[in-house]
Amino acid sequence: MNNELSKYIRDIPDFPKPGIVFKDITPMLKDATAFKMAIDQMQQIMAPWRADALLGIESRGFIFGAALAYKMGLGMLAARKPGKLPYEVDKVSYDLEYGSNTLELHKDAVEKGMRVVVVDDLLATGGTAGACAKLIEKQGGLVAGHIFAVELTFLGGRERLAPAPVEALLKYDSE
Ligand code: AMP
């Protein structure tokens, strides 16, 4: 991997359950230079996408999303787990390997025609980011792109998010 940020990603085998290799991004957040580099690289990648706003996915997506929103002078929308948002919400449920998940977004988050970039720490199967795309479109917005710190390419998430642009700083083609 030629991105020097790769040394700040720590593999945790069998977390949160046996067989999963968890990609821990906290060493990258802890190192001021690495975190700044990650946000700067994300900004460069998404600059041509002409975003009007960023949508961060709870919870690690908030960390990258907020820093990127500040850097780019954009507003930040928050997709949250059920029951966390105080106002009226739209919700989308999506299947996981075992069971399902739901994400919520305040009903008035996306303006008609707004170009929104979805931000998260990691792209695996694309179910989570795909649910956010559905929420944006349900509210009349356009998905300008998806940006991640890490992509597990062998899980095919980017195909699920097509035709929106999908980019990641670090790509892993096996566990
Ligand atoms: P998915 O919906 O399958 O694309 O999963 C992406 C979401 O699950 C992101 O919010 C990630 O933070 C989390 N996630 C899934 N797999 C991993 C992994 N191997 N390491 C770290 N986070 C993961």
Side-chain angles (χ1 to χ4, degrees):
M1 185 150 325
N2 57 12
N3 191 326
E4 60 185 292
L5 288 173
S6 63
K7 63 176 185 272
Y8 298 98
I9 306 294
R10 175 165 58 184
D11 281 1
I12 313 284
D14 299 320
F15 183 89
K17 54 188 178 191
I20 305 279
V21 180
F22 192 87
K23 298 286 181 197
D24 178 17
I25 49 114
T26 62
M28 189 164 84
L29 303 178
K30 178 179 167 184
D31 187 285
T33 307
F35 187 33
K36 184 174 190 313
M37 201 181 287
I39 297 301
D40 289 350
Q41 289 181 11
M42 284 181 166
Q43 179 198 25
Q44 278 180 12
I45 290 167
M46 62 165 280
W49 295 352
R50 296 182 293 114
D52 298 312
L54 286 155
L55 184 150
I57 307 176
E58 186 171 3
S59 57
R60 291 182 293 276
F62 293 170
I63 299 169
F64 292 98
L68 199 49
Y70 182 81
K71 171 114 191 161
M72 300 196 74
L74 294 173
M76 164 87 187
L77 316 176
R80 300 208 64 184
K81 291 165 187 162
K84 301 276 190 181
L85 290 170
Y87 182 59
E88 292 171 53
V89 296
D90 284 314
K91 57 178 81 184
V92 168
S93 295
Y94 57 100
D95 289 334
L96 297 174
E97 204 177 341
Y98 302 102
S100 71
N101 250 358
T102 301
L103 280 175
E104 297 183 346
L105 185 63
H106 272 154
K107 265 192 179 309
D108 60 354
V110 177
E111 312 289 336
K112 292 268 172 289
M114 191 184 240
R115 295 175 58 82
V116 183
V117 169
V118 178
V119 192
D120 204 359
D121 66 327
L122 182 139
L123 172 63
T125 65
T128 309
C132 291
K134 282 202 184 108
L135 285 167
I136 291 164
E137 284 162 2
K138 189 172 182 173
Q139 296 189 354
L142 296 160
V143 181
H146 293 268
I147 193 145
F148 304 92
V150 176
E151 176 182 1
L152 306 181
T153 55
F154 55 95
L155 294 175
R158 65 171 52 237
E159 283 78 45
R160 204 157 162 181
L161 303 178
V166 177
E167 294 294 344
L169 306 183
L170 299 163
K171 297 181 188 188
Y172 295 84
D173 55 18
S174 67
E175 283 188 335

